[in-house]
Amino acid sequence: MKKATMIMLGGVLLGGIVLSISLPALAAGAKAKAVPADRVEARIKKLHSDLHITAAQESQWSPVAQMMRDNGKAMADLRKGRVDDATALGALEELKSYAAVIDAHADGVHKFIPVFRSLYDGMSDTQKKIADSVFRSRMLDAAKRST
């Protein structure tokens, strides 16, 4: 159960990392910048390095990296649409738009979990400990930023 919880938590956190959206700022109608592809690529490269992905694990890593790219693009597109419509939306439309962002974020995380699980299941115990630590520290950092 702990393993499954950590995988789910990891997926949620990585999804949050990949999607990197400031929902409160968007809800307030603030202008947000799209996440550039190079920023997502930098995250992919850092995670690859942090997790010490081996050549033998590349076939499980590749779908993880692609999911990060796909989720990043989906969220960037949604944010761009929200920014473009920010001054024209009424309260109800704003709430619906905000809900669409949250739904897309959740969908991205749900799609990410099985892809990441495939990689995680093939990791050495040392790599799993590193992954657990990476995601735990990201969660704690996010919690600190939100307080």
Side-chain angles (χ1 to χ4, degrees):
M1 183 66 184
K2 183 178 177 187
K3 182 177 175 181
T5 302
M6 287 308 298
I7 290 170
M8 181 175 284
L9 180 58
V12 169
L13 293 172
L14 188 56
I17 293 165
V18 170
L19 301 176
S20 69
I21 185 160
S22 173
L23 295 177
L26 290 176
K31 289 197 174 188
K33 295 180 182 177
V35 175
D38 59 336
R39 186 169 169 194
V40 172
E41 291 301 321
R43 288 184 180 146
I44 290 169
K45 184 177 180 180
K46 176 152 179 34
L47 190 61
H48 186 279
S49 175
D50 288 348
L51 298 180
H52 305 286
I53 301 301
T54 66
Q57 294 168 324
E58 286 297 330
S59 62
Q60 287 84 29
W61 170 256
S62 183
V64 170
Q66 188 58 51
M67 184 64 64
M68 291 173 71
R69 289 180 190 102
D70 294 348
N71 285 345
K73 181 178 180 339
M75 293 307 295
D77 291 347
L78 269 174
R79 283 195 312 229
K80 183 182 180 327
R82 283 182 52 83
V83 169
D84 292 347
D85 296 337
T87 58
L89 295 179
L92 291 176
E93 291 82 13
E94 175 63 31
L95 288 170
K96 289 177 186 178
S97 177
Y98 181 72
V101 170
I102 293 170
D103 290 344
H105 184 129
D107 289 345
V109 171
H110 286 292
K111 290 176 186 175
F112 185 83
I113 291 170
V115 174
F116 185 73
R117 177 177 288 145
S118 177
L119 173 67
Y120 188 88
D121 287 348
M123 289 178 168
S124 69
D125 288 343
T126 301
Q127 285 176 301
K128 287 178 181 179
K129 286 180 184 177
I130 293 169
D132 295 346
S133 177
V134 166
F135 291 112
R136 189 178 306 113
S137 68
R138 301 259 187 195
M139 179 193 68
L140 293 173
D141 289 346
K144 288 177 187 175
R145 284 191 306 269
S146 68
T147 58

